[in-house]
Amino acid sequence: MLACLALLQKPSYGYALLETLNEAGVTVDGNTLYPLLRRLEKQGLLTSEWNTDESRPRKFYQVSPDGSRVRSGLVREWRDLVASISRLTKEG
Amino acid sequence: MSTSLLTERYVHEVVRRLPADQREDIAEELRTTIADTVEGRNPADPRAAEREVLSELGDPVRYAARYTDRPLALIGPDLYPTYVRLLVTLLCTVLPAITFGLVALDVLDDKDLGPALGGGIATLFTLGCEIVAVLTVVFAVTERVRHRKGVVDAASWTPDDLPEVRQPEKAGVGAVASAVWDALLFGLIIWQHTAKPYRADGERFQVLDPDLWSGWVWPMLAGLAGLVVVQVARVAARGWTVPLAIGNAVSQALFTLSLAWVLHQKTLFNPDFLAHTKDLWSSSDQAYSGAALIVLAIGVSGVFKSFRSARG
């Protein structure tokens, strides 16, 4: 979810996002990602728009201002967690 | 339309489970996504690739549920412990209480014990099914209502809900007493048969009906012997175990059911013995039925207790 919010600074659509995530090493299944995008949109963290310029009409998602705020919060929490775990595992 | 029939069927299966206002939008996006994915694999055989993509997306029911966040379980993990607790309580208390009450009422209404017991078994079954069905429906509805309201709390459990730990039996005094009592009963039945203790008019009679010896006394004796063995084993095992409780239930059933049947047929006592003692006490039909009921109640409660402490 954090990865979605991070990547969607620039508008993108479902399949392209999945590819980008997989290339970045975040493996995620389509049947998890697509519904997730919808839910984030419903919660107001993403905005969406149909783009009909290309061969197929595609739904492009982008992070909303609310989404940006949530993203910063999550990034902070994530860093804290990583820091705590690495401190805990350093001993061994 | 470049999408094939297979994709259409999949999309249809997904969107018909979604709220009407989102259907078209999600359907359109899903079609595009499936087509994009198939294309992205540069397949030699697009049909096979489409099949593959659809099987990766998985069961449309599950897929649709991810959009709506709908629960896929009849009773979710939040409510399940409460459900089980309540079900067990109701089946162990209300069900036997009502069944026994109804049988008792039937008997007091001068019905024969046999039909009354048959009615009791039927009640036990139908009422049991009803309790399970109603409780399940109530919890399933609650689950959906809570979900819609977004109530998510695994709370509402406090340490006060913990059941008391049942004390393990001390030295098994109860077990020894039961074993002695059952053995005594066993001995008495044999003794009154061989020694013919009742004397009247220069004759000696058995107290119990001699005809029993060509029939119902055998299961009674077998049951009693079984009970003695079980109680001795219970002392050795320092308490009830599940196999012991099962052995107890079988022996108890053997003894109790045959005794209740004999009481019900009013063939427990020797008719000659009864003829001589008529002046001392006369036995009415209701006394027999009542005695049979009491015997059954004691048997059932004993079996119930043994299982409870075996699971303890």
Side-chain angles (χ1 to χ4, degrees):
Chain A
M1 173 184 163
L2 177 54
C4 284
L5 290 178
L7 276 176
L8 289 172
Q9 303 290 87
K10 270 191 277 168
S12 180
Y13 61 95
Y15 178 66
L17 182 65
L18 188 78
E19 288 289 283
T20 323
L21 281 171
N22 282 342
E23 273 163 34
V26 183
T27 39
V28 60
D29 280 332
N31 57 16
T32 310
L33 180 68
Y34 308 136
L36 173 68
L37 291 174
R38 287 284 170 160
R39 288 211 299 275
L40 292 177
E41 185 192 2
K42 217 172 174 179
Q43 291 166 15
L45 303 182
L46 295 178
T47 55
S48 71
E49 206 180 348
W50 281 96
N51 182 329
T52 46
D53 298 346
E54 291 174 55
S55 56
R56 305 192 175 93
R58 294 198 170 108
K59 193 164 187 173
F60 276 73
Y61 296 90
Q62 190 170 14
V63 173
S64 70
D66 264 354
S68 295
R69 260 195 304 280
V70 170
R71 187 182 68 100
S72 324
L74 284 176
V75 168
R76 209 175 316 116
E77 269 176 39
W78 178 261
R79 291 212 176 113
D80 288 351
L81 187 65
V82 169
S84 317
I85 297 291
S86 62
R87 236 179 294 128
L88 279 174
T89 49
K90 217 178 343 186
E91 313 299 302
Chain B
M1 182 96 335
S2 63
T3 49
S4 79
L5 192 63
L6 203 58
T7 305
E8 267 326 299
R9 272 161 58 195
Y10 188 87
V11 170
H12 179 73
E13 274 302 292
V14 172
V15 295
R16 74 192 188 85
R17 297 187 162 77
L18 300 174
D21 55 330
Q22 297 174 25
R23 274 181 203 163
E24 207 149 316
D25 205 50
I26 290 184
E28 196 60 38
E29 190 188 15
L30 194 53
R31 269 184 218 116
T32 312
T33 308
I34 293 171
D36 278 345
T37 315
V38 172
E39 221 170 73
R41 302 195 174 181
N42 281 327
D45 178 2
R47 292 224 153 243
E50 183 188 11
R51 273 195 94 80
E52 202 182 291
V53 170
L54 290 184
S55 39
E56 275 168 27
L57 283 178
D59 189 340
V61 179
R62 280 171 197 280
Y63 191 74
R66 287 199 169 139
Y67 276 107
T68 51
D69 246 351
R70 207 180 315 143
L72 278 178
L74 192 61
I75 295 165
D78 269 8
L79 290 179
Y80 185 70
T82 319
Y83 168 73
V84 171
R85 224 175 284 152
L86 200 58
L87 192 61
V88 169
T89 314
L90 285 180
L91 288 183
C92 290
T93 55
V94 176
L95 182 59
I98 290 182
T99 308
F100 191 72
L102 287 178
V103 172
L105 275 182
D106 270 356
V107 169
L108 292 181
D109 270 356
D110 281 341
K111 235 191 196 179
D112 278 343
L113 192 63
L117 277 183
I121 292 170
T123 313
L124 200 67
F125 185 72
T126 46
L127 191 67
C129 289
E130 276 164 18
I131 290 180
V132 173
V134 169
L135 201 68
T136 308
V137 168
V138 168
F139 268 79
V141 169
T142 317
E143 175 78 38
R144 269 134 196 87
V145 171
R146 276 161 57 103
H147 199 85
R148 203 153 291 170
K149 284 192 193 149
V151 190
V152 187
D153 68 312
S156 75
W157 180 90
T158 70
D160 296 334
D161 295 340
L162 288 173
E164 294 289 329
V165 175
R166 289 193 204 95
Q167 293 296 323
E169 292 178 65
K170 293 265 159 57
V173 182
V176 173
S178 312
V180 169
W181 165 250
D182 290 334
L184 209 62
L185 213 54
F186 188 92
L188 270 177
I189 293 176
I190 306 280
W191 173 73
Q192 67 82 32
H193 179 57
T194 51
K196 300 197 173 69
Y198 188 76
R199 277 167 234 242
D201 307 339
E203 282 185 87
R204 296 163 74 100
F205 298 111
Q206 300 181 35
V207 176
L208 300 187
D209 194 340
D211 289 347
L212 285 177
W213 289 89
S214 53
W216 285 105
V217 83
W218 298 110
M220 280 163 66
L221 287 177
L224 275 175
L227 285 172
V228 173
V229 171
V230 165
Q231 297 295 355
V232 170
R234 176 179 155 208
V235 176
R238 299 183 165 276
W240 286 109
T241 61
V242 173
L244 274 183
I246 292 172
N248 183 48
V250 173
S251 316
Q252 189 72 261
L254 215 55
F255 173 66
T256 306
L257 291 180
S258 35
L259 179 57
W261 176 250
V262 167
L263 277 171
H264 167 59
Q265 300 284 63
K266 308 179 182 76
T267 54
L268 179 63
F269 294 109
N270 191 345
D272 296 336
F273 167 71
L274 282 185
H276 281 97
T277 51
K278 225 190 290 177
D279 324 330
L280 295 175
W281 54 285
S282 63
S283 51
S284 69
D285 291 357
Q286 266 150 354
Y288 274 112
S289 294
L293 266 186
I294 292 169
V295 165
L296 283 178
I298 293 174
V300 169
S301 87
V303 168
F304 180 66
K305 266 191 230 153
S306 70
F307 273 105
R308 242 175 89 101
S309 71
R311 289 188 53 213

